[in-house]
Amino acid sequence: QQLPGGAQQAAPPPAQLHAQPRGPLRRLGTHNVRGISKPADAKCAAAAWRRAGFDIVAVQEHKLTFFTAPAVALALRRCGWTLLHAITPPGPAGVGKSGTAIAYRSALTRSQALRLDPAAAQRGADGRFISVPADWCGHRLQICSIYLTSGDAVAQRQYIANHLQPLAAAAAAA
């Protein structure tokens, strides 16, 4: 800002540019777990998220199947986390591959600090994304976990155009 006499006033720090949050801050993280198909793996992941101070985690490559997901979700629930997941169809040997999930501290929803409706979650049929609308301290959010193929830029652009852009447009219209 220009002051009389040609002096410059520094812009206020970013924290002063915006109103104070109306609730506690939340830490969102992302974690490519490269497989948490066993309860012991889930406990290790939950411990890492807690150490990092995460409240919500976008998970990629969980490699869950319809058979392993319930035990893993239970193990996470016992560690204080809730898991919403999208499962990728298994490989030829029935082994899970890829998959995305959103994990969040269960206490957040119990205290109403975070409100979300798991039934409203949208999942990619290929397991490459999961998205859920949420409300945090009066702010509407769309929490997403996305896993794009690597190395194929054309396939990535097509996936974004066919799946993620419509998802973003629907979230904006809600």
Side-chain angles (χ1 to χ4, degrees), residues 156-173:
Q156 289 174 351
R157 285 192 297 276
Q158 287 176 334
Y159 194 87
I160 290 168
N162 294 337
H163 300 283
L164 303 181
Q165 285 176 340
L167 181 67

Side-chain angles (χ1 to χ4, degrees), residues 85-160:
H85 58 274
I87 294 177
T88 301
V95 177
K97 59 180 193 173
S98 200
T100 55
I102 297 168
Y104 56 92
R105 290 185 189 243
S106 304
L108 293 175
T109 53
R110 282 195 305 270
S111 70
Q112 295 292 306
L114 175 71
R115 291 193 309 265
L116 53 82
D117 180 6
Q122 296 180 43
R123 295 166 170 85
D126 57 2
R128 291 199 168 269
F129 79 84
I130 183 168
S131 177
V132 65
D135 180 89
W136 169 67
C137 296
H139 299 281
R140 287 187 359 214
L141 308 170
Q142 191 75 23
I143 302 170
C144 301
S145 180
I146 302 164
Y147 183 73
L148 294 175
T149 58
S150 61
D152 187 346
V154 172
Q156 289 174 351
R157 285 192 297 276
Q158 287 176 334
Y159 194 87
I160 290 168

